[in-house]
Amino acid sequence: MENLIFEKKDLYNPIISTITNVEQLTDTEKRFEIALPENQILNHKPGQFVQVSIFGFGEAPISISSSPTKSPLFDLTVRNAGRLTDKMHRLTVGSQLGVRGPFGNGFEVNNFKGKDILFVCGGIGLAPTKSLIDYVLANRNDFGRVVILYGTKSPSEILFSDEIEKWKKDKSVELEISIDRPDENWKGKVGVITTLIPPLKLDVANTIATIVGPPVMYKFVLMALKGKRVPDENIYLSLERRMKCGVGKCGHCQINDTYVCQDGPVFHYPRVKELKEAV
Amino acid sequence: MSSTDVKSRLESFNCYYFDKDVTQKFISFLMKKGDVIAPHKTGELSYKYEIVSDATEVVLNYSRTILPLKKAFMPPRETLINFNIKNNQYTKPQISTEPKIFFGIHSYEMQSIKRLDYSFITGLPESNYLTRRENCKFIGVAYKPDEWHFAGSVGIDINETDGFCLYFYPAKNGYIVFEITDEGKNLLDEFGEGSEVTDEYLKLNEDKFQAKIKFHHNRIPEIFTHVYNSKVWEDVAQKCVGCGTCNLLCSTCYCYDVHDEIELDVENGQRDRFWDGCMLNKFAEVAGGENFRDNLGSRNRHRLYRKFKYITNQSDKLHCVGCGRCSRYCPANISLVEIVNDLIDDYTKQQQKEIL
Amino acid sequence: MSKPKIAFFDFTSCEGCQLNKLNLENDLLDLLELVDIVEFREAMDDKADEYDIAFIEGSISTPTCITRIHDIRRRTKILVALGACAVQGGINAIKNQHSADWVKETVYGEDKYLFPSIPVQPISAVVKVDYEVRGCPMSTPEFLHVLKSLILNRKPEIFDHAVCVECKLKENECVLDKGMFCLGPITRAGCDAICPTFGQYCTGCRGVVSNINKNGAVEMLKQHGFSTKEALNRMKMFCTLELE
């Protein structure tokens, strides 16, 4: 111990930040825009997450849904599902909350440059993906085709309808939405997200696919991509686990020898294949 | 290092003889330098590390303490921050860096601290643990293995002195005290007592472990690359009740959970962390309710893989130190050594099949 | 929530959980600052029509219980079950292990027809229970935790791991080790292992952890010298319904 040189860190001190905007996206999801104090920049990569805390209500990992190009402000899109998120949904503009991070690896955007990108997003999985979509669209000329596949259970669960409208109008974006359980007003496609994959025409060797969604979705999307002959090396997944610390200590997010909070949440598919208990 | 190497190395250190009185005087001497933490008797059959208030209460011929020494550096419950809900302000509690001397520590326990050091330094070095680790001296004592100790099987000799500044070895009516480091030598010089060791006293016994893993410790990680789907895990799951005792008492486990608790004024509170364990029901559950290790077989497997493979892949050391606590205190009498030996049998059978 | 109106009701029980609240002593005064107690038979005569939080002690064991609990559920925003009887049927549910007729005969003799009695059910079998405070008697720190949480409008933190966890954190000498019986390895934590801490064994009053390995538990107790019959009998003392 005496001869080890390292800089020890206070890992659990949150930065008290302020909510600058709140937007109700669906019945259960809200988008919060956050400002760190004194115009500090979060300095995140698409796909990373932060640990959000509210005193008395605990802490939870929440992925960042805005692109770094939005700095110094950033967005968190939150489903009201637990102790912390329930309280978060009751906060308003000007309320404070604690932020630690950013944590995790995020997407290696430089490896994606020049490639076609296929975003596969199930449900709330659109939130972390949106940080990457926004980044790609902000640097549109660096990338090839942009194909977004989005599936939700019902039309009322569709997130980011404003952005979706913009994407629909954007000639450089190909967007497909499929609904599992449509209502009478739904005129679009019906079915689980995997049904959107077979009809696609892809230059698979030059296509990067990202998959983010609920745990049950991964296996089926991977099978569908395999059917399209998308090489495994071109596939990236973001995995959800219940990180308690975000700093590779508490053990909750561990898959085999891997801490999702450190080596993930974004994983290259060949790596995920080596892991058991991953998807 | 083989036992003979350790023995000859031990014999190369300068040493003194302390009888029982001098040993107690030495503990009192140490108490003037800071908190002395040493094993004490608790209940009829058990021991625990406590701050010494009376040197005569220290027990040096103990088997093992209930909780491992990690409790001194990562307390079972620890406040990370104190907060106020109304004004959103918080403070981090001060962690004392006053000198601490750990007296009467077994070699496997010392090695468990080295393993924890690795875990808390790797990646992001954590201040809570590392601050508590400052200003610590460790004084070892030899032990007689009982039926649960198996440190030898994981490559830790009874008389491994790595990490200690002094090492106490039982002799007639007292101890031979070996000067392991300069720090230890300085302590003994300042103390100024103890007599020369005559040949009559310097008889180092070769204590044998009763519990043994069949393979050499260098081969254990190799086994774990082949037994992920072994039936052994199902067999363990039949017996295991998932109480988590093995996790909580493990000297190298450090998983934790964090909760906010509020005072009765509903305004002030604290964010506490406390020991958690991968054997517990909800440990691997995610927000939607999906549990990635929802049965006792997969949970036991994860626990052992953390000891013999996952962290080992990176640190190059087994993260089981053979203290035997998980087996000694398991209410269902599940033995870690037996599990590993069953896995070895399974692996050997697999290999024989492949050859045939 | 500003000073929530809270009420306490007792069903089939010994009322020990309610008395336990009166034993809060120091905390009781602080508690009264936070809430408005509008109905509490053990301590006062007042009655009210609506409540923010209703705490229910005891189990359902007569047809009247069912009518009454539905009525309370209608009048309260949040309903919390207090103690083993309310949460899992508790000791009362032992009667379900025998024929209803035999039970009535044994308890009331010739007058058995005067007493309508139905198999014991936990509160959650009849109405929606929002939160639970387990134990016999209920654990007061956990009760305070739930109350503080509800005042703050947050979900309480309820554990689903074994008493062994808390017992080990306190570094108690293992009760099974001392040759005593103990259900700590399969009983839900939250009591801070109070019985083993004071040299007693865990009777399992807080109910079993979820996904319990029942056969494993019986085998475990057998290894410590307790027959299958004895193990099951003791496990069923508080958990008849959970172990069905």
Side-chain angles (χ1 to χ4, degrees), chain C residues 118-130:
Chain C
I118 56 174
V120 164
Q121 291 175 286
I123 302 297
S124 62
V126 182
V127 294
K128 184 180 171 243
V129 170
D130 298 296

Side-chain angles (χ1 to χ4, degrees), chain A residues 8 10 12 14 58 249 254, chain B residues 90 126-127 134 256 260 306:
Chain A
K8 60 181 185 191
D10 285 340
Y12 309 111
K249 305 278 185 246
Q254 203 180 14
Chain B
Y90 70 91
E126 191 206 89
S127 71
E134 286 173 20
Y256 60 82
D260 283 8
R306 268 182 69 106

Side-chain angles (χ1 to χ4, degrees), chain B residues 7 20 29 32 48 109-110 118 154 178 183 213 224 235 249 264 267 273 277-278 294 301 303 330 340 355:
Chain B
K7 183 168 175 276
K20 296 240 154 95
F29 160 79
K32 288 181 212 131
K48 67 171 165 190
E109 199 83 315
M110 187 66 241
Y118 174 85
V154 290
F178 292 95
E183 199 179 35
I213 292 175
F224 278 80
D235 298 341
L249 299 188
L264 262 179
E267 187 174 331
R273 83 155 153 201
C278 59
D294 62 356
R301 176 172 61 201
R303 175 170 78 89
C330 173
V340 176
I355 294 164

